[in-house]
Amino acid sequence: MDFSSFLTSLATSFIIFVETREQRNLLSESDSERVGSLGRGLRTRNPCAWIKEALTSSEQDVISMSGVDTAVYFVYLSTVLGILVLASVLLLPVLLPVAATDDNVKLQSQSTSNGTFNDLDKLSMGNITEKSSRLWAFLLATYWISLVVYYLLWKAYKHVSALRATALMSPEVRVEQFAVLVRDIPPPLEGQTRKEQVDSYFKAIYPDTFYRSLVITDNKEVNNIWEEMEGYRKKLVRAETVYLESKTNGNPEGTKPTNKTGFLGLLGEKNSIQFYNEKINELIPKLESEQKVTLKEKQQASAIIFFTSRVTAASASQSLHAQLVDTWTVMDAPQPSELLWKNLPINYYERQMRQYVVYVIVALMIFFYMIPIGIISAFTTLENLEKLLPFLKSVLEQKAVRTVLGAYLPQLALIIFLAILPKFLLFLSKTEGIPSESHAVRAASGKYFYFTVFNVFIGVTIGGTLFSSFKTIEKHPSQIVNLLASSLPSNATFFLTYVALKFFVGYGLELSRIVPLIIFHLKKKYLCKTETEVKEAWAPGDLSYATRFPGDMLILTIVLCYSVIAPIILVFGVIYFGLGWLILRNQALKVYVPTYESYGRMWPHMYLRIVATLVLFQLTMFGYFGVKKFVYAPILIPLPILSLIFAFVCHKKFYRAFQSTSLEVAASHLKETPTMDQIFGSYVQPSLSHEKNEDDQFEDALSQVSRSCRCARDDQGSHN
């Protein structure tokens, strides 16, 4: 990449950032009275007012609008931004002059970027001659960054721990705090039902505070019937809306919509309203019958246990209930809206086997994905394209084409290639038998993080170097380590553009939300007929931690590992996380709606990945100082050890409170006495609830669900 390509990338990315925001304002003007910028509403048409609102918003504002998980994500952004700002304060004014005033590039008669990026190469560690005393500045900078990370991470961990405790001590009634999830229930005694077995077991252990149990059932059939019936109800509402809209002054009777109900839906017409009513009436008795069968005959080896005390529930969730670990496994109950019901009955040994199989699959993916990513890295450089595809040489020699392709091709190819991965990793995580959506998201984000680090950061570096230096390695295989290490400054130019593309184009699209806005307008015009359909089309979703956090961690890994080698990258890192904090603050307050609340359980995973990135940075620097033949490089050896000790101390001090709720937190007073029937009812799936069901139908699995409980289920049904 030459210097003009780099400037083209920055300039056009900035134009896209500005233009997408303007286009979004134009598209959203017609909907400014609706609720939400694809979410919660535009407070003003002033295109810059959102900046002031985001900057002046407090952490409590974020919690009240988007929950503790979102507030914890902003602690992460603030911490990383603080690390990079403090690193920049020392590294930029010190290391840049030290590097620029040396002349290693001239001495070697070539640039570390193959003669195309001399100006920036002179600002990198690659311009320092071997064994130079100037390397002391870079070594001390490595220590400075490490100490800054330790200090800010410690402060952040304490702050997030306090945030979680404050949220859990809230006087508001939260249903999950009165329940625990039980898995691996052994077979009941002969003549004993599963319900009787579970009740007798927990009544014996918690005689004063045990309320009742909800045995998990196999709901596949009943869910299918219920979903079919709900589908007909939505179609009925849509047909009634179309019929009402057809009534005009010229046609006061209106035109009733019709359905083709004959052969293959091609022949015969029938009044849609009448047709859907008939279908619903046919399914109601079928649903009631299947509910009875499900509740009595399809009980499984899992249950949700309810207590009248938060302290008892917290104590039960962290206690060993059986002598053998593969029976009566008790844990915190997730929120009703995030339970993965199909995973709850999976037994202990099957979960272990699934976990190992998924780990093997992910490891193979990480290894074999390096092949296509390495190929992308190799093929998408203009020089390599000319070598491999000589018929494109005449096209690539055109200055305009060369500038645009050099600016964007490698980075766009990599971004698109990675876009197909997150959903598959989330699917694999759920396949492990994980009981809740938030847990699956945490597991998927971990897999995605390690994948991106190994395949993007390491894969691009190794792939580009091996391809461009293959003949040299073939003749002198012993030089492979030196070649890989010496390639770090040259790869910095690729990552500089990658980071710039991410924060200008990525955050430009995020701020404008132009793609979701266009999709909404198309759905509204051609598909949506009812108010419910419009709201569903307008729904923005949540922050998508499973992909957003690993993407941020990749940027942090790149910036941190190159911060001493090429300090100029710190500027791009500060812009990325600064823009991210500002834009996502606006989105959290006005756009995104959280789908679950885990009270900051993501933080220990965020923390560990920052520490892992720090260790990778320290090892990278140790290796590069070795390439520079700096005899004092062993002074860096204590740093990785210190990082591991730091991680161990933080884990021992803080992690247990994130794994379980402490009893002193659970013992805080409530504003009102909880209604246990409502708490119990919030966990009953909507497919098992129907207005015509009698109490005795639920006796076996649900322990005589009261009518008031069913009312609560109806209120909660849409959240399950």
Side-chain angles (χ1 to χ4, degrees), residues 160-463:
V160 174
S161 182
L163 274 182
R164 174 175 166 82
T166 302
L168 293 174
M169 292 171 67
S170 169
E172 303 293 332
V173 174
R174 293 188 169 93
V175 295
E176 68 274 10
Q177 292 184 313
F178 292 86
V180 296
L181 173 63
V182 183
R183 308 174 81 178
D184 309 312
I185 301 174
L189 299 175
E190 187 176 352
Q192 187 183 42
T193 66
R194 180 76 72 183
K195 180 73 177 62
E196 292 170 344
Q197 175 198 22
V198 172
D199 283 356
S200 62
Y201 185 85
F202 282 95
K203 279 180 182 176
I205 300 175
Y206 307 100
D208 298 326
T209 53
F210 172 76
Y211 177 66
R212 61 168 46 159
S213 63
L214 169 61
V215 177
I216 306 303
T217 53
D218 181 1
N219 295 345
K220 183 177 180 180
E221 293 298 326
V222 74
N223 281 345
N224 289 338
I225 298 171
W226 183 81
E227 288 168 4
E228 184 181 0
M229 189 171 70
E230 288 299 300
Y232 283 126
R233 283 177 171 168
K234 289 181 180 179
K235 290 177 181 178
L236 175 61
V237 173
R238 181 184 177 91
E240 290 173 342
T241 303
V242 171
Y243 176 54
L244 290 173
E245 289 177 352
S246 70
K247 293 182 178 181
T248 61
N249 293 331
N251 183 20
E253 295 296 324
T255 302
K256 293 185 178 180
T258 59
N259 268 49
K260 294 185 182 296
T261 58
F263 179 71
L264 297 177
L266 300 174
L267 304 174
E269 289 190 357
K270 193 170 186 178
N271 184 318
S272 294
I273 296 175
Q274 181 184 349
F275 175 72
Y276 294 138
N277 273 315
E278 288 175 359
K279 285 292 185 181
I280 292 169
N281 291 331
E282 287 176 11
L283 287 172
I284 287 175
K286 189 177 178 181
L287 176 65
E288 292 173 352
S289 175
E290 185 59 36
Q291 284 175 337
K292 294 177 184 179
V293 172
T294 299
L295 294 171
K296 292 182 179 180
E297 300 176 9
K298 297 183 179 181
Q299 298 177 21
Q300 299 185 309
S302 182
I304 299 173
I305 310 301
F306 299 89
F307 299 97
T308 57
S309 166
R310 290 198 300 183
V311 175
T312 305
S315 178
S317 68
Q318 50 194 292
S319 300
L320 182 66
H321 284 76
Q323 189 66 26
L324 302 177
V325 296
D326 59 346
T327 59
W328 298 106
T329 303
V330 182
M331 63 188 72
D332 289 328
Q335 290 181 330
S337 60
E338 63 160 335
L339 274 169
L340 301 176
W341 296 94
K342 292 180 180 179
N343 286 351
L344 301 187
I346 299 174
N347 65 52
Y348 176 82
Y349 293 107
E350 185 179 348
R351 294 199 302 272
Q352 296 298 313
M353 288 302 299
R354 284 173 176 236
Q355 190 177 60
Y356 294 139
V357 169
V358 168
Y359 286 170
V360 170
I361 292 173
V362 172
L364 291 174
M365 284 177 59
I366 289 174
F367 177 76
F368 287 110
Y369 250 66
M370 288 188 74
I371 297 173
I373 286 187
I375 292 173
I376 286 174
S377 172
F379 273 81
T380 52
T381 61
L382 297 181
E383 293 79 8
N384 291 335
L385 279 177
E386 289 178 356
K387 293 177 185 176
L388 295 169
L389 304 173
F391 60 88
L392 292 177
K393 188 172 182 180
S394 59
V395 177
L396 295 176
E397 285 178 350
Q398 296 182 27
K399 186 174 181 181
V401 174
R402 192 174 188 86
T403 298
V404 172
L405 289 180
Y408 287 117
L409 183 61
Q411 295 78 13
L412 282 176
L414 185 58
I415 290 171
I416 294 170
F417 189 72
L418 289 174
I420 64 174
L421 185 66
K423 288 188 177 180
F424 182 63
L425 293 178
L426 185 60
F427 166 77
L428 286 179
S429 297
K430 291 181 179 180
T431 305
E432 293 180 38
I434 287 171
S436 67
E437 186 74 25
S438 61
H439 190 174
V441 166
R442 294 195 296 272
S445 71
K447 296 176 179 67
Y448 193 48
F449 165 70
Y450 292 113
F451 182 92
T452 54
V453 168
F454 279 99
N455 285 291
V456 179
F457 176 69
I458 298 176
V460 167
T461 301
I462 294 177

Side-chain angles (χ1 to χ4, degrees), residues 681-682 684 688-690 698 705 709-717:
S682 65
V684 180
L688 294 177
S689 175
H690 195 269
F698 296 85
V705 178
C709 177
R710 287 206 305 276
C711 293
R713 289 201 304 273
D714 293 339
D715 293 337
Q716 294 288 334

Side-chain angles (χ1 to χ4, degrees), residues 623-644:
Y624 194 60
F625 275 112
V627 171
K628 287 293 184 180
K629 299 179 182 179
F630 190 52
V631 295
Y632 298 102
I635 294 176
L636 294 177
I637 291 177
L639 281 181
I641 300 172
L642 188 60
S643 297
L644 296 177

